[in-house]
Amino acid sequence: MADLKQTPLHGLHTRLGAKMVPFAGWDMPVQYPLGVMKEHLQTRAAAGLFDVSHMGQVILRPRSGKIEDAALALERLVPVDILGLKEGRQRYAMFTNDEGGILDDLMVANRGDHLFLVVNAARAEADIAHLKAHLSDACEVEVIADRALIALQGPAAESVLDAIAHGAATMKFMDVGIFHVGDAELWVSRSGYTGEDGYEISVPADKAIGFAGVLLARPEVEAIGLGARDSLRLEAGLCLYGSDIDEGTSPVEAGLVWAIQKARRAGGAREGGFPGAERILAELADGPARVRVGLLPEGRAPMRGETLLFASEKATDPIGHVTSGGFGPSVERPIAMGYVAADHAATGTALWGEVRGKRLPVTVADMPFQPNTYKR
């Protein structure tokens, strides 16, 4: 525990009575006295505040001074159209390896003269080394270590933030902007990891507790831990790196083809040119052997990660497995996602999951389980 890193909001978590747990090398709040179930429902009904300062924040500054050069450089590592990303906008991306697997997923924002990246906590060190190894010729890779990252999520997020950062309400989903509150410069994106409308806000580390306190002073806002963050993203059908996607999973298998724009596909203006392009473009054309699907277990017993899936109650060979599973407080039932053979992936397909030696019925379902409320 002594080796765990602490976010700038650590003192606030302890004062609020959070239960702290190790997560990706950080001491993080898994829940507060409100409890996971109520924290989840609070976020869906009003607003939740999440400390996501463990995520890596990185700036890519083009050495030429031209943002286009930074965009083209980053396109060497991702199967995503970065050149077409307009100033003031953000896009989901993923680093791929030579085998077409996913090294990490990330957010990329065009901020006019540089790109701003947010990467996963568990992969931050590796991602930064990856960027420096491959992009240092074209970009200065600047690691941001003096800022916290706060997510404000839920239907009340807009009114709460706009009262402090005037103009935040005019932003649309995946817009980014800079706001000044007092003497603090806030880097804001209208995005999140819950399926709800909301914002992610990068704030100077020495202003983080004060800023979070202002948000928490609003009656609509409660502090939310990692437990509810996980159940919220599962209801939203969003991938967790290391569980639902990893170095052996391609973006096509993972159902992330919406994130691969036309320009990078076969026949596009900048077709391929990213690691693993041969496999990924082939799967886009011909389909993958397995795909990520939503799953609805019957009854009340959740099907957790690594649960094996079978085509029938008596089948001996699994046709897939669960990668994330639990109880969805908003939908009031167990939900899961996982990978199954493509010929068993149609919505409504009846499968069986093996839970503690018993075969239990589960049905392939569409995601998200809870409709998203992004402001488009």
Side-chain angles (χ1 to χ4, degrees):
M1 293 291 288
D3 295 332
L4 294 176
K5 292 177 278 191
Q6 297 181 357
T7 76
L9 292 169
H10 190 273
L12 177 64
H13 302 317
T14 57
R15 286 202 300 275
L16 292 175
K19 178 182 178 183
M20 306 297 289
V21 298
F23 182 80
W26 295 79
D27 195 23
M28 296 295 293
V30 68
Q31 68 179 77
Y32 297 86
L34 194 62
V36 173
M37 178 81 75
K38 289 182 178 177
E39 290 174 27
H40 176 115
L41 296 174
Q42 164 72 25
T43 307
R44 292 270 186 251
L49 184 147
F50 303 75
D51 180 9
V52 290
S53 306
H54 58 313
M55 307 284 277
Q57 301 180 63
V58 183
I59 284 176
L60 296 184
R61 296 193 187 277
R63 297 190 184 280
S64 67
K66 298 177 181 178
I67 191 67
E68 295 83 3
D69 292 340
L72 288 170
L74 185 56
E75 284 191 1
R76 301 176 202 164
L77 304 181
V78 301
V80 176
D81 178 6
I82 305 298
L83 187 62
L85 181 61
K86 291 182 169 55
E87 182 175 350
R89 294 287 291 165
Q90 180 173 260
R91 183 163 281 173
Y92 175 82
M94 67 287 293
F95 293 126
T96 51
N97 61 24
D98 290 339
E99 293 73 42
I102 301 172
L103 293 172
D104 196 12
D105 59 346
L106 66 151
M107 302 302 291
V108 183
N110 179 341
R111 300 210 313 188
D113 62 353
H114 66 271
L115 299 175
F116 177 58
L117 280 54
V118 177
V119 301
N120 283 304
R123 296 290 302 171
E125 207 169 292
D127 289 348
I128 291 161
H130 188 57
L131 288 165
K132 288 181 175 178
H134 295 282
L135 304 190
S136 289
D137 60 330
C139 300
E140 178 187 346
V141 180
E142 180 183 341
V143 180
I144 306 301
D146 59 352
R147 298 182 73 89
L149 193 62
I150 293 169
L152 183 67
Q153 301 283 293
E158 178 182 89
S159 60
V160 168
L161 186 60
D162 193 65
I164 302 164
H166 305 302
T170 66
M171 300 175 75
K172 303 293 186 188
F173 181 57
M174 290 296 202
D175 279 352
V176 298
I178 293 178
F179 296 82
H180 292 88
V181 176
D183 58 351
E185 183 176 88
L186 308 182
W187 303 347
V188 180
S189 69
R190 193 154 194 168
S191 60
Y193 194 48
T194 63
E196 295 292 331
D197 183 25
Y199 303 86
E200 292 193 345
I201 308 150
S202 176
V203 58
D206 61 350
K207 309 290 184 186
I209 287 182
F211 178 70
V214 171
L215 296 175
L216 289 169
R218 291 287 295 261
E220 308 97 312
V221 184
E222 294 282 355
I224 311 296
L226 292 176
R229 189 168 186 254
D230 192 56
S231 58
L232 288 159
R233 70 91 192 169
L234 179 56
E235 284 187 345
L238 300 173
C239 294
L240 173 65
Y241 190 84
S243 295
D244 310 299
I245 50 176
D246 56 31
E247 294 185 27
T249 309
S250 81
V252 185
E253 290 178 321
L256 301 176
V257 295
W258 54 267
I260 304 175
Q261 290 77 26
K262 183 179 178 181
R264 308 305 307 280
R265 298 189 185 203
R270 295 181 310 289
E271 170 187 344
F274 51 84
E278 183 177 359
R279 174 189 175 186
I280 292 168
L281 295 180
E283 287 185 351
L284 281 169
D286 304 325
R290 61 171 194 157
V291 291
R292 181 173 65 97
V293 296
L295 298 162
L296 291 177
E298 288 188 20
R300 305 296 286 179
M303 290 187 180
R304 307 289 183 183
E306 304 306 320
T307 298
L308 294 179
L309 299 170
F310 297 85
S312 71
E313 190 174 6
K314 302 298 184 184
T316 56
D317 296 324
I319 51 87
H321 69 284
V322 173
T323 53
S324 288
F327 186 80
S330 302
V331 297
E332 299 182 319
R333 61 165 302 153
I335 54 175
M337 69 173 81
Y339 287 85
V340 299
D343 57 357
H344 289 81
T347 298
T349 300
L351 301 175
W352 295 80
E354 191 163 280
V355 180
R356 294 187 292 277
K358 291 185 177 181
R359 296 280 175 92
L360 301 175
V362 56
T363 304
V364 175
D366 293 328
M367 293 186 287
F369 302 103
Q370 172 78 7
N372 66 55
T373 59
Y374 307 134
K375 184 174 179 179
R376 305 229 181 233

